[in-house]
Amino acid sequence: LPSTERAQSGWIMPVATVNLRALTSWVGIARLSAVVLSCLAFSLVASTECFKGPYGTWCMFTWCFCFTVTLLVLLLELLELYPLLPLSWDDFTAAFSMLAALMVFTSSVVYPATFISSPCSSNQCARQAVATTASCLCFLAYAIEVSLTRAKPGDISSFLSTVPGLLKVFEAYVACLIFSLLDAYSGEPGLMWCVAVYSLCFIFTLLIIIFTIGRCLTYIPCPLEKMLVGYNFLALLMYLTATILWPLYSFRGQSRPDSCGPDCSWNKHLGITFLTIFNLIAYLVDLVYSTRMVFFR
């Protein structure tokens, strides 16, 4: 349409401007470092052609996913197009940086433990070692971004950048790790209750994250902050029961088999036990911080 007709119709084309601070600020430098390091990690691993199986696929997905989303975030901030998106940008970037830090940290541990053998002397092993180092530095870059974008005390304009908001991302991610380790739990009422605890808390925590990013929490007709405190208290109690029941039913009358590899059920149950304790501590800290924010501001 000609400019006069566009003005008369009320249609205005968004104009992209270049914001160089998106690349030159400390947060921008951290994101650029994460892009380069994640690209280096998955490129080196792809060159070795040694990433078969679920663990290798997960690591490759992590590096590629973090590279793609971080590059997209940089472009949107560089061109200042993010205000056009129907979401809370600060909440989205805070949640993603926390999620990326957790995913890359997991890959930095899982990949060398699964694919690097000792002694490491071949050219392929050297590339794997460099990829692991790049992955560890990439985790450090995301951790720095989380630290730089975390809300200061008294600032709650972006909920997911506060300590309770970041803990929500941590809690949901740990629940996903628990689901990945679940194998045999049917027939035992105690174990089935634990799975119900993991599932319910994961669903509600994920909904809180999604509603926060989508700016939907304001439409809930109840005191939201007090409701979150009540949810944290209930989730803490539920995880407390799971922390007791899961090892009680999983290891009752069982000892660790002599030949217990990575896919051994005993090892998986032990991993779930520790992850349950981690989430219990996370919900406890979440409850303390949320209570302070609501009742002792």
Side-chain angles (χ1 to χ4, degrees), residues 30-48:
R31 288 172 178 164
L32 275 174
S33 302
V35 167
V36 173
L37 291 167
S38 59
C39 180
L40 179 62
F42 75 72
S43 298
L44 286 172
V45 173
S47 69
T48 65

Side-chain angles (χ1 to χ4, degrees), residues 111-188:
Y111 183 78
T114 306
F115 294 98
I116 297 181
S117 56
S118 181
C120 182
S121 56
S122 64
N123 179 265
Q124 173 179 309
C125 186
R127 281 180 285 173
Q128 291 174 327
V130 174
T132 301
T133 304
S135 182
C136 293
L137 293 175
C138 185
F139 159 71
L140 182 61
Y142 280 119
I144 292 173
E145 182 184 348
V146 171
S147 176
L148 291 173
T149 58
R150 187 173 68 86
K152 304 300 184 290
D155 180 15
I156 57 174
S157 58
S158 173
F159 171 69
L160 292 181
S161 64
T162 63
V163 173
L166 295 174
L167 285 172
K168 289 287 185 292
V169 180
F170 177 84
E171 292 154 6
Y173 182 74
V174 171
C176 290
L177 293 181
I178 291 175
F179 294 144
S180 69
L181 295 176
L182 287 174
D183 51 5
Y185 59 86
S186 59
E188 291 284 357

Side-chain angles (χ1 to χ4, degrees), residues 15 21 51 76 83 90-91 162 174 177 180 182-183 185 197 207 209 213 230 236 238 248 260 265 296:
V15 179
R21 278 194 56 80
F51 54 90
L76 289 174
D90 290 338
D91 284 308
T162 63
V174 171
L177 293 181
S180 69
L182 287 174
D183 51 5
Y185 59 86
V197 169
L207 287 176
I209 295 172
I213 294 176
L236 177 65
M238 294 174 68
L248 180 64
C260 193
S265 295
F296 302 100

Side-chain angles (χ1 to χ4, degrees), residues 19-94:
N19 177 22
L20 293 179
R21 278 194 56 80
L23 302 179
T24 58
S25 65
W26 287 113
V27 175
I29 293 172
R31 288 172 178 164
L32 275 174
S33 302
V35 167
V36 173
L37 291 167
S38 59
C39 180
L40 179 62
F42 75 72
S43 298
L44 286 172
V45 173
S47 69
T48 65
E49 298 182 356
C50 185
F51 54 90
K52 308 300 181 183
Y55 296 120
T57 303
W58 161 256
C59 294
M60 284 294 286
F61 167 77
T62 295
W63 295 320
C64 294
F65 170 75
C66 294
F67 167 80
T68 303
V69 178
T70 306
L71 184 60
L72 181 61
V73 168
L74 279 173
L75 289 176
L76 289 174
E77 292 207 344
L78 178 64
L79 300 177
E80 292 191 341
L81 295 175
Y82 62 90
L84 302 176
L85 300 177
L87 50 81
S88 174
W89 182 252
D90 290 338
D91 284 308
F92 170 75
T93 53

Side-chain angles (χ1 to χ4, degrees), residues 178 182 184-199 238-252 269 272-273 276:
I178 291 175
L182 287 174
Y185 59 86
S186 59
E188 291 284 357
L191 297 182
M192 294 177 70
W193 162 253
C194 293
V195 174
V197 169
Y198 304 143
S199 302
M238 294 174 68
Y239 258 91
L240 181 60
T241 62
T243 304
I244 298 172
L245 293 177
W246 181 264
L248 180 64
Y249 280 87
S250 296
F251 304 115
R252 184 176 53 186
H269 289 170
I272 292 174
T273 300
T276 304

